[in-house]
């Protein structure tokens, strides 16, 4: 499997997933048509699908122009919002998706929006605005409890330690700064933040991350830990309340 990172807008990422055996490709959240189409043509791949993580404009704004160029494209996404342009295939939780010889699973992860879907296989996960590197999406439509379950129950069971995480935005530097503000004595987190800052200074993407890194440094995956509960004055026996408080503080950060 090959994955191309295509930066779009100010800090969004679109991705092109390619099956090396068949040359078939899918574009994940190709929110700006021109850079994605240019890369598809440079690569000479057979674009056959768009995979949508959720309906927000900075994830779906390229759909119409890309479908105009490739009218037989399959456009996947959740039907829940009714706001994904050009949708041709409504995806349900747990549904299998084929791309050439590659197999993915769609996982409904409500929280940021109610139509949020992650596309996962045993090596990579496209997590949209559900899971970021060292962060998670704002709760625009779902509750803290719903997002907590999406991350800590639904996604966690499907991840391997080395599953590569491809999120919808380049937010890592600010997310790590926020995480450091919660647990400033964590020397490994400080060192991680310095590595991320060096990458960004060199104008390189901080993505992909991997699940073991996220489990170690992402505060939204560490709400069961005593250190984090104490950092936000929460109850170690109530990780959903800790999660809600961490999210509230991140919103204000
Ligand atoms: Zn969004």
């Amino acid at each position: 499997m090959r994955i191309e990172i295509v930066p779009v807008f100010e800090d969004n990422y679109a991705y092109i997933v390619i099956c090396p055996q068949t040359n078939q490709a899918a574009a994940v959240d190709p929110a700006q048509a021109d850079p994605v189409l240019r890369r598809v043509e440079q690569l000479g791949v057979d674009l056959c699908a768009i995979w949508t993580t959720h309906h927000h404009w900075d994830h779906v704004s390229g759909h119409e122009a890309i479908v105009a160029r490739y009218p037989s494209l399959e456009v996947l996404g959740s039907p829940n919002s009714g706001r994904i342009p050009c949708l041709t295939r409504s995806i349900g939780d747990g549904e299998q998706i084929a791309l050439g010889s590659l197999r993915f699973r769609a996982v409904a992860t409500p929280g940021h929006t109610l139509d949020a879907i992650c596309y996962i296989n045993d090596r990579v996960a496209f997590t949209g605005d559900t899971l970021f590197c060292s962060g998670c999406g704002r709760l625009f439509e779902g509750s803290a409890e719903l997002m907590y379950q999406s991350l800590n129950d639904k996604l966690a069971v499907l991840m391997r330690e080395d599953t590569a995480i491809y999120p919808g935005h380049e937010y890592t530097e600010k997310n790590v700064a926020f995480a450091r503000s919660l647990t400033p004595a964590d020397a490994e987190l400080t060192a991680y933040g310095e590595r991320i800052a060096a990458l960004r200074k060199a104008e390189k993407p901080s993505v992909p991350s991997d699940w073991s890194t996220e489990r170690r440094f992402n505060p939204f995956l560490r709400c069961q830990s005593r250190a984090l509960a104490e950092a936000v004055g929460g109850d170690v026996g109530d990780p959903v309340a800790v999660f809600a408080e961490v999210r509230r503080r991140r919103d204000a950060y």
Side-chain angles (χ1 to χ4, degrees), residues 54 56 58-59 112-113 129 140 169:
H54 65 299
H56 283 160
D58 59 329
H59 298 259
H112 175 67
T113 62
D129 291 358
F140 284 118
H169 287 268

Side-chain angles (χ1 to χ4, degrees), residues 13-17 26-31 49-53 59 119 126 128:
Y13 285 125
Y15 301 104
I16 301 170
V17 193
V28 181
D29 287 357
I50 290 174
W51 296 353
T52 317
T53 65
H59 298 259
Y119 297 88
F126 297 99

